[in-house]
Amino acid sequence: SVMMFLSPGAAALRLSRCALSTLSASAAADPGYKAKQSLGQNFLQDEAAARKLVGCLQDESEGGSRVVELGPGKGALTRPLLAAYPQMTGVEIDERSVKLLREELPSLRLLQGDMLALDLAAMAAERGGALSVISNTPFYLTSPLLFRLLASGGAVGRAVLTMQKEVGEKVLAPHGCKQYGILSVMLQLFAQPEAVFDIPPAAFRPMPKCTVSVLRFAPTAAPGGGAGAAWSATQREQLLALLKRTFEQRRKMLRQTLKPLLADAATPIPDEWLTKRPEQLSPFEWVELSSMVFGDSADGGDASLLRKDMQPKWSATKAGWKDNKLRPNRPAPAPE
C-alpha cells in the first residue's frame, strides 16, 4: 500500500481517495453483532470523525510502533490508524471484535485482554519510548483510564480519548466552579488536558444520550509539566487522598475536613487557607497545601497522616491511581 510510505504524523490526514474508498467499504460492512452494555460499547460510525480523531494523535515513532489503540471494537478508528501507523498495536477484550479485526486487518498487532490490566511501562520499554494512546473509551471506564494514564510513570507521552461532554467539562473546569473537582486538579496538574472537538450522538451506534468530547492529554511526572522535580508515587497518592477527603465534603471549610491532620502537619497551615472550601484552591495551590501537610520529601514524610480518618477500605489503587492490575477478574493482554 502506498500509505505505508507516508510519514506517520501526516498520513492520517492525507489518505488517498483510493485508500479511503477501500477503508469505507470495509467499515460499512457491519458484521451485525450488537454492542454489549456490560462493556459500555458505543461503536463509532462516522468516518470523518474517525479520521479527525486519528489526526489529533500526531505520533512520530517509526511506523507508529508506539501507537496503542485501547478498545478498537469494530475498527472505525483502527482502519485509518493502521493506514497511518502500520506498526501500531490494538488492545481489545471482546472476542467478537478480536475475531473481526484479525480477519479484516491481518497485519494489525492485536492483544486480547483488559485495557486496564495492560502493562504500559513494559510496552513502552519494549517500544523504546513513551506510548501514544488513543481510544473511543467506554464511558464507565473514563475515570479509571485517566488515572491509569497518570500513574503510568512516563510510559504514556500523549493520549487522545473520547468521553461524555460533561466529564470533559469537569476535567477542564477552572477552580471556583461546581464542576471543579478531583479529576480537574489531578489532570490539570499532571496531564495538561486540551479540548479538541465534539462528536454528536448520531455518530455512534448505539447512539448515546449525550454529546461526546475528544480531549488530548500529555501526562507528565512533574506538576504542570514544567522543569520541576518529578513527584514520587507516594506524593501523588497523598495529594489524591487529600483531594478525596476534602471534595467529598466540598461545602465544608478546609478547617473542618483537614482537622485530623492539622496537629501533625509538616508546616502550620495559615488561617486564610483553612477558611476556604476545596473548589476555591487552584491546582497549584493544592500542590502547596499538600506540601504543608505532608512535607516536600519524595518519600512522603509521615505516611501515617495519609490514613488518618480515611475510609478503612479506601486506597489509591481503588481510585485507579496506582499502576497495577485494577480488575484481576478480567484477563490481562498476553505479551506479544
Side-chain angles (χ1 to χ4, degrees), residues 93-308:
I93 196 170
D94 189 343
E95 292 181 359
R96 304 168 304 167
S97 293
V98 170
K99 182 176 183 293
L100 169 71
L101 293 169
R102 284 179 174 161
E103 288 175 353
E104 295 195 356
L105 303 172
S107 66
L108 173 67
R109 295 184 187 183
L110 186 62
L111 306 179
Q112 183 174 0
D114 183 0
M115 66 173 72
L116 291 186
L118 181 65
D119 191 334
L120 296 169
M123 181 175 284
E126 191 272 332
R127 299 286 193 273
L131 305 174
S132 296
V133 171
I134 186 168
S135 177
N136 174 33
T137 314
F139 294 152
Y140 79 104
L141 291 182
T142 300
S143 290
L145 180 57
L146 287 172
F147 280 120
R148 181 84 168 138
L149 296 177
L150 287 172
S152 67
V156 177
R158 71 192 75 190
V160 176
L161 308 177
T162 60
M163 62 193 67
Q164 292 170 285
K165 186 176 178 65
E166 292 79 3
V167 175
E169 289 173 345
K170 288 182 180 180
V171 169
L172 299 166
H175 67 283
C177 70
K178 64 180 182 180
Q179 292 172 304
Y180 181 73
I182 296 175
L183 274 179
S184 317
V185 176
M186 296 304 297
L187 289 162
Q188 289 174 32
L189 282 174
F190 295 106
Q192 303 171 68
E194 172 191 4
V196 186
F197 65 99
D198 290 341
I199 306 176
F204 300 86
R205 293 292 182 277
M207 191 166 60
K209 298 179 181 179
C210 62
T211 297
V212 173
S213 291
V214 178
L215 270 67
R216 181 162 47 203
F217 302 88
T220 60
W231 270 33
S232 69
T234 299
Q235 286 174 302
R236 296 188 184 203
E237 184 178 353
Q238 288 176 332
L239 173 59
L240 182 60
L242 203 61
L243 292 167
K244 178 178 171 61
R245 179 194 300 275
T246 55
F247 274 100
E248 283 191 344
Q249 303 178 72
R250 62 185 301 146
R251 299 317 305 155
K252 291 185 177 180
M253 293 182 182
L254 296 178
R255 184 189 309 280
Q256 296 299 318
T257 51
L258 297 183
K259 188 175 181 179
L261 306 181
L262 296 180
D264 298 315
T267 302
I269 302 173
D271 284 343
E272 61 196 62
W273 286 68
L274 295 175
T275 57
K276 293 184 177 182
R277 294 179 173 84
E279 70 268 18
Q280 294 178 282
L281 298 186
S282 71
F284 279 102
E285 286 175 324
W286 276 107
V287 170
E288 192 174 348
L289 180 60
S290 186
S291 176
M292 291 180 195
V293 174
F294 299 110
D296 293 320
S297 173
D299 65 8
D302 185 357
S304 66
L305 291 180
L306 180 66
R307 293 293 161 201
K308 283 197 175 183

Side-chain angles (χ1 to χ4, degrees), residues 8-9 53-54 57-70 77-78 80-82 84-91 108-111 118 120 123-124 127 129-135 155 158 160 336:
L53 260 163
V54 172
L57 196 60
Q58 301 175 347
D59 179 82
E60 297 176 356
S61 61
E62 184 175 356
S65 63
R66 298 175 193 163
V67 172
V68 181
E69 183 187 6
L70 302 179
L77 279 180
T78 318
L81 273 170
L82 190 61
Y85 306 111
Q87 295 184 42
M88 66 165 286
T89 300
V91 180
L108 173 67
R109 295 184 187 183
L110 186 62
L111 306 179
L118 181 65
L120 296 169
M123 181 175 284
R127 299 286 193 273
L131 305 174
S132 296
V133 171
I134 186 168
S135 177
R158 71 192 75 190
V160 176
E336 293 178 83

Side-chain angles (χ1 to χ4, degrees), residues 308-329:
K308 283 197 175 183
D309 200 37
M310 291 296 292
Q311 296 176 11
K313 294 184 179 180
W314 183 84
S315 71
T317 297
K318 287 182 180 292
W321 177 247
K322 286 187 175 178
D323 191 15
N324 62 4
K325 294 180 181 179
L326 303 177
R327 299 189 296 172
N329 295 328

